[in-house]
Amino acid sequence: MSDVLAVDAVGLTKTYGMLTAVDRLSVRVGQGEVYGVLGPNGAGKTTFLRMLFGLIRPDSGKLSVFGRSWDRDGVRALDGVAGFIESPKFYPGLSGRKNLQLLAGLDGGVSGSRLDEVLETVDLRDRGGDKVGGYSFGMRQRLGVAASLLRDPKLLVLDEPANGLDPAGIRDMRALVKQLAGSGLTVLLSSHDMGEVEEICDDVTIMRTGKVVYHGPMTATMTAPVVATRRPGLAAALRWEIVKLAAQIRSRALLAAALIVPIPVVAVLNGQAQVPSDTIYGRLVHLSGYAMPLLMLAWAAQWALPLLAAIVAGDIFAAEDQHGTWKTILTRSVSRSQIFWAKTLTALAYNLLLLTVFAASTIAASVLIIGHQPLTGLSGQTIASGPALRLVVLAWATAIPPIIGFTALALLLSVRTRNPAFGIAAPVVAGFAMQLLGSVSGLDLTRKLLLTTPFEAWHGLFAEHPFHGPLRTGLAVSAGWTLICLASAYLGVRRRDITGG
Amino acid sequence: MRPIVTRTVAVLAAGAGIAATVAAGHPEITRAGLEKALAPTFANLYVQQAGLLGIAGVATATVAATDTCDKGGPKVADTGAGPNWICMMSWTDNKGKHQDGKFEVQVRTDATYVAGGPSKIVGLATITDKHGHDVPNPVFEFDGVIPT
Ligand SMILES: Nc1ncnc2c1ncn2[C@@H]1O[C@H](COP(=O)(O)OP(=O)(O)O)[C@@H](O)[C@H]1O
Ligand SMILES: [Mg+2]
């Protein structure tokens, strides 16, 4: 057990189109070694390390880390491994300390004193409370080392840690790596600087254009096998997605808007003598406080509800691309599936909360400003105040399935386009297009399959003899869209190569 | 190369799917459906109007509204959404007199409709209620839904 290699790569190959970035690479790193991968820019060092972290899949070859492989063990292949690829990336809007806390959360949590300890190690104790957006390049590099140390790694992987640093920064970084190496840690370091590797490493592999051109001596030393202590699950990933969302100004502002905006809108509409009679229930807004929320629901369904559904969901995956933080969160202890579900559940929960707040505010404002007069139903029947309130709440509740569908569509676009603006705007445009298609006469079956049609299913509730066919169809259609979009988004997250950042 | 092929196939498949649903669809909005929805709705609203005017003894049963609808004249099929539905309504008014009136009905694709009554018979947009207030006339123009 104890003589298992820290890294055992045999015949690894990765191609990008015509280019072979890594060509039948074999590297064996024994436990306790300080190992260098040396090569000029473009030699394939980063590509090799990305494969080691499971960020990209090798085309062929075998790779095991402490005897575990990605194929067999999934994210457990990273147990005892920490480090970063190229320059480490963090959430710029959060403090250094909060970033560390978040990443440690993806490993099962950390104590405050341990946070202070690693910040001390990398000399960031005083600046830990500042936002990472204001950090210098060197500070981010050191925060990357701190984030790695929090995992208590047995193998530390550093991809050109001195790259981009000034001479003093290079000296500090080398001293730090030597100090860490001296503590018995296995270190795998890539560099384009012969001097650096000579100074720090015991063994070396030299690469050029994807191929190994020299192997230094290799010794296997004995160390205890890695035991994973804590296993963070979906709950940890979920918790930190919520923390990230709550830290966003956008998400808080949107909730506040959903709460406040309906009030002046209702007041202004109620104050106008002219009623918006071209929309259903528009003609009755002065007569009953229950007509206004139905008019607002019909209006909101045209673009506001798809937009509300997309603002967080369209961004939640793409934001990781924007910040370059996929590699940061995927090199901890949580799997891609767990990250996927954490983000999906967070976006869904947020959107349902948003819809609830929007509906409650609209209904409350309408009833308080206009009153709780009886409502005329869509068969001309009079509906008493109590049942009318129940029906209005129910009508807003029927927006839940298509909202979930639009959330899934936005999540899919967020995953596939990797562009937050596109992830947010595209579902709204799609919603518009579907509205337009749905207003064409004679497309009755096509219309049923559109994701916007379920927003109208509430009409049947207001007939004298209520009918629920459109609600059932709407539920099925929303479920279909949701499943297809989520499945495609899931595959997108599972399969993609994380090459950016 | 491959992504382009898969994308093209996906777009074509989606297009074919939409075309298939267009071809396979059958109209949900029919003449019978509109006739069945409109007359009782009018009757209910006529009772509401009588209530506003303070006229006693008007109920949906006494109104006994019936209607026949047509879309766009004899050459147009009587199915589907459109602004060109006409319904002839017969009912007993609040003085016990038989009335016939032409309603213009605009049916939307979501199976809701807006119907406008003949103002000579049902009154103008605003009526004066029993307390002397001007109130909207419920049967002048009203929304309804066709069960689907
Ligand atoms: N996502 C990618 N798409 C296409 N080519 C890539 C990609 N990533 C790396 N390469 C190419 O692979 C080769 C190796 O790159 P890399 O592993 O980053 O080298 P190093 O880290 O040694 O500088 C380079 O020629 C680079 O241009
Ligand atoms: Mg590199």
Side-chain angles (χ1 to χ4, degrees):
Chain A
M1 250 329 266
S2 58
D3 59 351
V4 67
L5 289 166
V7 177
D8 189 4
V10 184
L12 279 186
T13 301
K14 178 73 184 179
T15 57
Y16 291 111
M18 305 289 288
L19 181 100
T20 305
V22 168
D23 193 1
R24 284 162 291 167
L25 174 74
S26 297
V27 170
R28 291 152 64 83
V29 181
Q31 294 194 28
E33 269 190 90
V34 179
Y35 198 99
V37 177
L38 181 68
N41 282 336
K45 306 181 293 293
T46 299
T47 304
F48 165 52
L49 298 182
R50 279 188 200 276
M51 288 191 275
L52 194 154
F53 275 116
L55 294 170
I56 60 179
R57 268 166 223 264
D59 298 334
S60 59
K62 281 209 178 68
L63 176 66
S64 64
V65 186
F66 294 115
R68 297 190 195 86
S69 72
W70 273 95
D71 289 343
R72 215 182 47 234
D73 303 296
V75 74
R76 277 177 173 268
L78 286 188
D79 282 359
V81 186
F84 54 82
I85 298 292
E86 294 180 329
S87 49
K89 291 288 164 64
F90 297 95
Y91 301 102
L94 302 178
S95 71
R97 204 165 199 284
K98 194 85 192 168
N99 266 290
L100 291 186
Q101 213 179 355
L102 189 159
L103 294 172
L106 300 181
D107 292 325
V110 70
S111 70
S113 56
R114 176 78 178 123
L115 275 181
D116 292 333
E117 202 179 298
V118 294
L119 282 169
E120 183 75 59
T121 309
V122 299
D123 206 16
L124 278 176
R125 183 92 186 248
D126 313 334
R127 299 293 305 276
D130 299 351
K131 285 195 175 171
V132 170
Y135 279 19
S136 72
F137 189 86
M139 288 166 74
R140 270 177 236 190
Q141 213 80 346
R142 280 181 281 146
L143 191 63
V145 175
S148 306
L149 293 180
L150 276 179
R151 278 172 70 74
D152 295 320
K154 300 287 178 286
L155 168 65
L156 182 63
V157 180
L158 299 172
D159 187 16
E160 307 212 36
N163 213 7
L165 296 180
D166 58 22
I170 292 176
R171 199 185 53 228
D172 291 350
M173 183 57 78
R174 283 184 191 172
L176 180 60
V177 174
K178 272 202 269 192
Q179 176 199 331
L180 296 170
S183 69
L185 204 59
T186 311
V187 177
L188 177 57
L189 176 103
S190 88
S191 178
H192 63 264
D193 183 341
M194 182 64 134
E196 180 169 78
V197 171
E198 260 176 1
E199 185 181 335
I200 300 176
C201 302
D202 316 326
D203 301 288
V204 66
T205 282
I206 302 179
M207 295 178 71
R208 188 163 297 135
T209 57
K211 291 194 177 68
V212 172
V213 291
Y214 173 82
H215 265 309
M218 204 214 51
T219 55
T221 42
M222 310 291 168
T223 342
V226 183
V227 213
T229 45
R230 282 162 303 199
R231 241 2 293 154
L234 180 59
L238 193 57
R239 182 158 161 253
W240 288 104
E241 281 306 322
I242 295 168
V243 169
K244 280 191 270 183
L245 188 64
Q248 265 185 13
I249 294 170
R250 175 191 347 201
S251 66
R252 281 176 289 161
L254 194 60
L255 270 179
L259 183 66
I260 295 162
V261 169
I263 301 168
V265 171
V266 168
V268 166
L269 281 172
N270 185 46
Q272 282 176 343
Q274 186 77 28
V275 289
S277 56
D278 51 354
T279 305
I280 196 156
Y281 272 111
R283 177 172 297 112
L284 302 181
V285 290
H286 290 323
L287 301 180
S288 167
Y290 300 118
M292 182 71 84
L294 296 175
L295 168 74
M296 297 270 279
L297 176 59
W299 268 344
Q302 287 171 13
W303 59 270
L305 292 181
L307 177 64
L308 290 186
I311 284 182
V312 161
D315 175 70
I316 200 161
F317 287 99
E320 304 290 348
D321 290 285
Q322 198 182 27
H323 297 315
T325 39
W326 276 118
K327 65 182 186 188
T328 313
I329 54 175
L330 290 180
T331 50
R332 313 301 296 195
S333 306
V334 290
S335 66
R336 290 189 183 198
S337 304
Q338 286 168 333
I339 295 279
F340 173 83
W341 286 113
K343 284 184 179 297
T344 300
L345 291 176
T346 302
L348 280 172
Y350 177 86
N351 284 350
L352 293 182
L353 175 67
L354 192 63
L355 178 70
T356 308
V357 169
F358 188 41
S361 171
T362 305
I363 297 169
S366 303
V367 172
L368 290 177
I369 295 174
I370 302 165
H372 56 273
Q373 302 87 343
L375 180 73
T376 300
L378 291 176
S379 304
Q381 82 281 23
T382 301
I383 305 170
S385 175
L389 176 62
R390 200 180 60 82
L391 283 179
V392 167
V393 171
L394 211 56
W396 275 85
T398 65
I400 292 174
I403 283 277
I404 292 176
F406 270 102
T407 306
L409 179 62
L411 290 170
L412 171 64
L413 290 164
S414 187
V415 168
R416 295 281 173 173
T417 67
R418 305 175 190 178
N419 177 336
F422 202 91
I424 294 170
V428 182
V429 174
F432 257 133
M434 286 192 252
Q435 289 273 349
L436 210 63
L437 192 60
S439 66
V440 176
S441 180
L443 305 182
D444 296 69
L445 183 56
T446 317
R447 186 170 205 288
K448 276 191 185 179
L449 301 177
L450 301 175
L451 190 49
T452 44
T453 307
F455 280 129
E456 295 152 359
W458 59 270
H459 296 152
L461 298 172
F462 288 79
E464 193 161 28
H465 306 289
F467 53 96
H468 303 104
L471 280 173
R472 279 191 293 270
T473 317
L475 196 63
V477 167
S478 304
W481 278 84
T482 305
L483 286 179
I484 291 170
C485 290
L486 285 187
S488 172
Y490 179 77
L491 291 179
V493 169
R494 280 301 298 265
R495 289 204 186 142
R496 75 174 277 198
D497 279 354
I498 309 289
T499 51
Chain B
M1 192 61 202
R2 238 193 70 227
I4 295 174
V5 173
T6 24
R7 260 170 226 184
T8 314
V9 168
V11 168
L12 288 179
I18 291 174
T21 63
V22 170
H26 63 94
E28 302 245 294
I29 297 165
T30 59
R31 170 179 164 174
L34 178 58
E35 287 172 352
K36 239 176 100 187
L38 184 66
T41 302
F42 169 72
N44 277 330
L45 292 169
Y46 197 76
V47 172
Q48 191 185 100
Q49 188 202 42
L52 290 170
L53 296 170
I55 299 169
V58 180
T60 50
T62 66
V63 176
T66 55
D67 58 355
T68 35
C69 298
D70 175 78
K71 188 188 181 195
K75 288 198 181 115
V76 179
D78 294 342
T79 55
N84 50 347
W85 282 90
I86 300 285
C87 295
M88 294 307 298
M89 186 85 65
S90 304
W91 76 99
T92 308
D93 76 5
N94 54 32
K95 298 181 191 78
K97 234 177 78 188
H98 180 85
Q99 294 285 2
D100 287 305
K102 188 173 97 176
F103 282 67
E104 287 175 3
V105 184
Q106 181 189 339
V107 182
R108 304 189 190 98
T109 51
D110 63 2
T112 61
Y113 63 84
V114 188
S119 52
K120 277 201 188 118
I121 313 175
V122 301
L124 293 170
T126 309
I127 53 174
T128 308
D129 73 1
K130 58 188 171 188
H131 308 294
H133 300 135
D134 282 351
V135 292
N137 179 359
V139 288
F140 175 75
E141 204 173 59
F142 54 90
D143 289 320
V145 65
I146 303 167
T148 48

